[in-house]
Amino acid sequence: MLFRFLTLVNLLLVMNPLIAQEKIFLHQNWQFKNSTEKIWKKATVPGLLHSDLLDHKIILDPFYGQNENELQQFGKDNWDYKTVFEADEALLSNRKIRLGFEGLDTYAKVYLNDHLILEADNMHRRWEVDCKAFLKLGKNQLLVKFQSPFNYLEEKYGNNFRVLPASNDPSPKKESAYVRKAPFQFGWDWAPRIVTAGIWRPVYLEVHNNTYLKGQYFSTQKIEKDKATVTARFELGFIDNKNSDLQIEIYDAASDQLLASRKINSEADLNFTFEIQNPKLWWSNGLGEAHLYDVEIRLLRNNHLLDKKNQKFGIRTIELVQEKDRIGTSYFFRLNGKDFFIKGANYIPQDILLNRVTEDQKRKLVQDAQNANMNMLRVWGGGIYESDSFYDLCDEHGILVWQDFMFACGSYPADDDFIHNVVSEVEDVAKRIGNHPCLALFCGNNEVEVAWFNWDWQGQYDMSEEDSAKIWNDQVKLFNDTIPETLFKVLPGVNYVHTSPLSNWGKLENFNHSSMHYWGVWHGADDFSGFEKYIGRFNSEYGFQSFPEMSTIKKFAPDEQLSLDSEVMKHHQKSYVGNERIREFAVQYFAEPKNFEDFVYLSQLTQAYGIQTAVLAHRIKKGHCMGSIYWQLNDCWPCPSWSSIDYYDNKKALYYWVKKAYEPILPVLKKEDDYFKLYLLNDDFNENALEVSLTVKDFSGKLQWVKEYSLITKENANEVLANFSKERFSNDLFAEIEISIKGEKQSSYIYTFAEPKELALQDPGLSYRVEKIKDSLQMTITAKSFAKSVFVSSNEVGLQYSDNFFDLAPGSSKTIIIKNANDDRRFEIKSLFDCLEVLFCLAD
Ligand code: BMA
């Protein structure tokens, strides 16, 4: 079959000399074995060792119970992967044949027909090598021998190994600092330790018969009223020395209109500018359309087409503005000349077994971010540089990306080998993803600098002054010199900061400067009032943990472990702070949980309450503060964590509450000293003529008073609509704020006037109606009296609710759409007054 496929491809190549290159994926016939054993077993490529072990039932589900403990040896062993593929004459007749790996995890020796043709030592980069000389007619064997990072380091350093700080790596030697492999796989405060190996991204042969297009980069130089100046840069791959008489032409792919053409006679000609008339700009979510240009690039010699490629790009300028101002030091983004507020989340890899993440899962998550009114994701530095498709999705959905380089919470060596490795990694990553309009910022690392100055590593790791100076100089060399110098060579002028945060939360003055990870809540002793007191200029991390819902917990814990302090629940909690902190806060803000299920529900409300408090405080202080990126969007396994969407794609209360808090135009009623202030938070750049009504009722529905306002909003400016003395509100009242345009209701919001625990809630008398409409369920829930935080859940994971964890005014109904529900799913509806309100099963 494979043979036939290759033959066909090569026939095409022979018959059509215009096709200069072709990729042939080598994903068939793979086998693997422990390198000390003899028997080969079937393997999946692309894939990872632990997935293969799972497929063969050699290991149990690493997420269940405490199974993680049982599989540590597999990451310490060495593993071999091999395949056999056929090469025919047509293939071998190609002038140039390259073997490429889009990802090898991590220390790998690659043998083609027993010739060592590649030695890899970095999971984060692509590898390509000429292999024509080693291919033969007929069967060819490709063998990849993976050495575990531990064995590799042992062999390299022996007794001279020097432990470097790596706060989340539980191993005493903290090897992860030396290995260019996703840091979180060595364990993190939300991740198990699964040290994988394998051919984790595609592997292919690529053939070339002519000079070819190897890379193409477009960046916006200038945007004027009716034209944009775009810089195009190209990289060519060569077969021979005939590099003259070339021509590059750029066409609009849809209209086939020629946009630019250039004669190429030297390296310098590969970099040129051209203009696009009446450009359509790329905007982030909320500011406008994320328009993408699709161009076809043709490479010609004497009018003969040598190669062609399609490439998308956006016309946009983005600056990170870091200037001294009257407060301190600013940190905000300017997109196409507009200064705007960033609303987003920190993104981590979607599965610790990275090969399991599907394209659908990626699309879904980026769409979820867009639907939650986010305009930025931070691809955090302890994971991976994402796949190309992830950045494509961000381009399409107007989600800006803050891209960390993959260094987090540790110190790193800076010897020649390591620096050389990092240079190759940075070059490769910048070339691979640098073209995307979504890319707003590259950041050297996560928390390497704050950790150095605040976490007492010098004491913990017993460093002499000399050691300490050396280690610190190494960090400066890496993040202030090597990485930016390399990055700017590939992407001149791109935004770069050497670390996040630039300012630490320890001192009040620091909140006037730059980026901030505020961890006084959770890692410090602050309660949620800290979120209102301590507001950085740009909050790139802050968060609070919760438990995933019961359907997810039951996937990893047997019934007898369903308690907060059971062994399994403790095992899945990877933060040193522990599960008890979640309970303390739930009791402080909501209620003493009646049982474990009740605790799980309250944990989510507590988290949502805290983070919503933070987001609103950040937005109210727009100007001082220009960004809010909470920790963390998603999970890589099922566990209690800071996430807003759990591993099985159940959205937590946090997701729905943040989605509201991130709305572009949002009325907020907030207690400040002796007053309740009615704010209109406004991130919209248009002028809107709005009517705002505020209706106050008691929990049984009796009307107290009403106020109405009309206004025309100002571009991107918050306003205070009213101040009310606090006596006008009590713990048995709620307000419904409606926004209308020309009498037509656009949105409505409910606010209560005391902390949830203080509310004088009464039995809401919930009832429901369910209808099946096509493949979705439509559930209408009605409340007799005020219902707080109504939560619909099922006994299965992954259901998609159009809304959840919402309040209902007395006598009102809300209809939600539930997707992915089978007829035999059981549902529960609960509210804060009473858990387990209604139990039903559609099949009953
Ligand atoms: C942040 C992150 C992670 C960590 C999180 C929660 O600082 O950078 O290192 O998982 O805190 O502790």
Side-chain angles (χ1 to χ4, degrees), residues 146-329:
F146 290 98
Q147 190 178 20
S148 90
F150 312 103
N151 295 336
Y152 176 90
L153 293 175
E154 182 61 41
E155 208 173 280
K156 182 165 180 184
Y157 294 99
N159 290 337
N160 295 327
F161 185 84
R162 206 227 119 96
V163 177
L164 285 171
S167 284
N168 287 282
D169 182 341
S171 132
K173 286 178 80 176
K174 305 205 175 282
E175 292 89 345
S176 56
Y178 287 82
V179 189
R180 295 310 298 142
K181 174 171 169 61
F184 82 116
Q185 297 177 326
F186 292 87
W188 213 264
D189 60 2
W190 37 260
R193 181 175 169 92
I194 303 184
V195 182
T196 55
I199 303 165
W200 73 291
R201 280 179 166 160
V203 42
Y204 57 87
L205 291 176
E206 193 170 87
V207 301
H208 302 283
N209 291 292
N210 285 311
T211 302
Y212 57 99
L213 289 161
K214 207 170 161 195
Q216 49 284 324
Y217 313 97
F218 293 90
S219 59
T220 309
Q221 207 62 41
K222 198 152 93 187
I223 299 171
E224 287 160 282
K225 206 158 164 263
D226 45 13
K227 66 172 193 224
T229 311
V230 175
T231 300
R233 285 180 305 114
F234 297 93
E235 211 185 323
L236 300 183
F238 298 111
I239 294 289
D240 48 34
N241 292 327
K242 275 177 52 192
N243 302 324
S244 53
D245 303 325
L246 294 169
Q247 169 123 352
I248 285 180
E249 294 176 350
I250 305 170
Y251 292 84
D252 178 76
S255 64
D256 212 27
Q257 186 201 337
L258 181 67
L259 298 175
S261 111
R262 173 84 165 196
K263 290 222 174 309
I264 311 292
N265 286 311
S266 71
E267 186 75 24
D269 296 330
L270 290 169
N271 193 338
F272 57 90
T273 59
F274 64 98
E275 286 177 355
I276 292 189
Q277 305 303 320
N278 303 315
K280 278 179 108 178
L281 304 187
W282 186 94
W283 290 103
S284 60
N285 186 25
L287 291 188
E289 189 200 339
H291 182 80
L292 293 172
Y293 281 83
D294 190 357
V295 290
E296 184 179 291
I297 304 151
R298 297 181 196 162
L299 176 69
L300 305 108
R301 175 177 289 131
N302 303 328
N303 288 333
H304 286 292
L305 186 63
L306 300 180
D307 194 8
K308 60 177 184 179
K309 281 243 171 92
N310 270 66
Q311 177 70 52
K312 287 190 177 152
F313 67 91
I315 296 186
R316 61 104 180 94
T317 56
I318 187 141
E319 284 165 73
L320 171 63
V321 182
Q322 301 180 85
E323 283 168 356
K324 292 271 165 263
D325 60 14
R326 62 186 171 78
I327 307 168
T329 319

Side-chain angles (χ1 to χ4, degrees), residues 168 188-190 346 378 380 408-409 446-447 455 500 517 519 522-523 541 545 575-576 631-632 642:
N168 287 282
W188 213 264
D189 60 2
W190 37 260
N346 283 275
R378 171 172 175 234
W380 163 83
C409 306
N446 174 70
E447 296 185 350
W455 297 2
S500 184
H517 295 185
W519 282 108
W522 187 266
H523 289 293
E541 277 186 21
Q545 278 204 7
S575 169
Y576 69 92
W631 183 264
Q632 65 197 71
W642 297 264

